[in-house]
Amino acid sequence: MMTYINLFWEFFKTGLFAVGGGMATLPFLYDISDRTGWFTHEQLADMIAVSESTPGPIGVNMATYSGYITAGIPGALISTLGLITPSVIVILLVAAFLSAFHENKYVIGAFYGLRPASSAMISAAGLILARVVFFAGNFSNPLNLKAVILAVILLAFTNAVTFTKKLHPVIWIAFSAIAGIIFKY
Amino acid sequence: MNIKLLCDLFITFAKIGAVTFGGGYAMLPILQREIVENKRWGTDEELADYYAVGQCTPGVIAVNVATFIGRKTGGITGGIIATIGVVFPSIIIITLLAGVIQFYSTLEWVKHAFSGIRVCVCVLIFNAVMKLFSKAIIDINTFCLYLIILAGSVFLNLPPTVFVVLAGLAGIILKMTVKR
């Protein structure tokens, strides 16, 4: 029972403070992983891949997935409920004075600071994952060359090549899975 | 409360949740087709407003938009039902997949596949950060805030909530002092 209450509370906080779309929940999930041990950093990386490759909002998918790993099907329901509850409350309150809200100078000011903070926290989460992927968890380890080659190829296809950069991420996730199996990552 | 309308809200938003990959902006064309053209629950202008406010409120944007349209169409109950509708497919699909993945996760080739996928996830996060960065870092103040919060997140063991609250306050103070 305590796990369910904690699960709800952790995802309630995530839903209340994660600003800027699905990926913004990532720093919160890393924080939950560090403090509770409900899921590992590796499992988080897998969750991102599955959430990007399946329908539905990424933030919701990640919450459902981590809830399932923590406490099975009830966990999946509770974490998702926790994530969306603050949104629903805030929106129902804000809906009454819609235009006054997003033209309010304090709201504009807060978001002027929140957007760079959100980018910074997602960057930090990316660094944690990069350390696992490219250095086997510690920067003093030798660089994993196989991973670097795949990363460079993916960076080129998703940013530089005109024909491929508009393709859906699920294609690159499938491509990387096949590369992983063939070259034994 | 009109039960038929609530069912319609639930089914329509469940359909939207089931066909959108990625949420947020990926959802906009589908919302335009279903909400504006088919159901006539709102206009293109209203959708644009909801997106604007969805970005200025916490939480997942897709969920925020569902709550807005549901509330407008069927009151507070409508808002709650539409929101449950939009997350419903995620819960079913992810729970099934998570179960399957956990079952097969000890197989050697599945491990290799996920090691490859993790490299891809790194690249996807990098791309997401680049996109956010270009919208969020618009001057020297926001660039400094980015560096401070990045250093703070890497070196200090503080919960992200602390950084969010501090950054929001810093944003308000910076905006106020720039004005004068």
Side-chain angles (χ1 to χ4, degrees):
Chain A
M1 194 59 212
M2 247 354 253
T3 312
Y4 294 149
I5 295 168
N6 288 335
L7 198 60
F8 184 86
W9 173 235
E10 289 297 338
F11 280 90
F12 185 91
K13 280 193 293 184
T14 305
L16 186 59
F17 289 104
V19 174
M23 279 292 186
T25 60
L26 202 53
F28 292 86
L29 296 180
Y30 272 106
D31 181 52
I32 294 173
S33 156
D34 288 339
R35 280 184 299 109
T36 64
W38 286 337
F39 35 82
T40 64
H41 287 181
E42 284 81 3
Q43 281 175 317
L44 267 176
D46 301 345
M47 281 179 212
I48 301 167
V50 173
S51 303
E52 292 254 20
S53 324
T54 48
I58 294 168
V60 173
N61 291 351
M62 294 210 285
T64 308
Y65 201 137
S66 30
Y68 179 85
I69 289 180
T70 312
I73 292 173
L77 287 172
I78 287 165
S79 59
T80 311
L81 202 64
L83 184 83
I84 64 175
T85 303
S87 292
V88 172
I89 295 171
V90 170
I91 295 294
L92 290 179
L93 290 175
V94 161
F97 43 99
L98 186 67
S99 60
F101 181 79
H102 73 111
E103 283 156 18
N104 180 288
K105 62 179 177 177
Y106 294 105
V107 174
I108 294 172
F111 275 83
Y112 176 75
L114 286 174
R115 290 199 188 97
S118 177
S119 315
M121 291 192 299
I122 302 172
S123 305
L127 280 176
I128 296 175
L129 180 61
R131 190 175 63 186
V132 173
V133 168
F134 298 109
F135 296 93
N138 198 320
F139 284 120
S140 57
N141 286 333
L143 187 66
N144 180 346
L145 272 180
K146 275 199 278 194
V148 174
I149 294 168
L150 180 58
V152 170
I153 294 171
L154 289 169
L155 276 175
F157 276 137
T158 52
N159 291 296
V161 183
T162 330
F163 310 114
T164 55
K165 70 178 176 190
K166 285 266 148 76
L167 290 176
H168 193 275
V170 70
I171 291 168
W172 306 119
I173 291 169
F175 175 86
S176 310
I178 295 166
I181 295 167
I182 295 175
F183 299 105
K184 298 208 185 312
Y185 270 66
Chain B
M1 230 325 101
N2 186 341
I3 300 289
K4 218 180 130 203
L5 175 69
L6 292 181
C7 288
D8 202 10
L9 271 172
F10 181 85
I11 291 167
T12 306
F13 276 96
K15 232 165 67 182
I16 293 169
V19 296
T20 330
F21 281 82
Y25 284 99
M27 215 170 84
L28 191 56
I30 294 154
L31 280 172
Q32 276 167 337
R33 198 182 59 219
E34 286 295 320
I35 305 302
V36 181
E37 286 163 31
N38 289 351
K39 298 288 177 187
R40 298 182 191 282
W41 284 335
T43 62
D44 280 328
E45 290 73 28
E46 281 173 319
L47 270 189
D49 278 351
Y50 296 156
Y51 263 77
V53 179
Q55 287 192 309
C56 305
T57 44
V60 181
I61 296 171
V63 170
N64 295 350
V65 175
T67 314
F68 263 126
I69 296 167
R71 192 206 83 109
K72 197 201 150 214
T73 319
I76 290 177
T77 325
I80 293 168
I81 295 288
T83 310
I84 295 174
V86 85
V87 302
F88 182 72
S90 291
I91 294 177
I92 304 287
I93 295 167
I94 295 288
T95 307
L96 286 175
L97 262 179
V100 172
I101 290 169
Q102 238 178 7
F103 188 75
Y104 289 107
S105 62
T106 47
L107 295 178
E108 209 50 41
W109 68 270
V110 176
K111 280 188 200 160
H112 288 312
F114 273 101
S115 299
I117 286 171
R118 276 175 214 152
V119 177
C120 186
V121 171
C122 267
V123 172
L124 292 177
I125 295 179
F126 178 80
N127 289 344
V129 168
M130 293 312 280
K131 215 185 265 173
L132 274 175
F133 193 91
S134 62
K135 273 188 216 142
I137 285 72
I138 44 177
D139 52 25
I140 187 75
N141 287 336
T142 42
F143 184 65
C144 291
L145 255 179
Y146 174 85
L147 289 182
I148 293 167
I149 306 268
L150 179 62
S153 315
V154 172
F155 297 112
L156 303 176
N157 201 9
L158 288 173
T161 319
V162 173
F163 295 117
V164 170
V165 172
L166 289 179
L169 288 175
I172 293 172
I173 293 165
L174 286 169
K175 269 275 164 187
M176 297 287 144
T177 43
V178 165
K179 282 263 161 70
R180 267 164 220 159

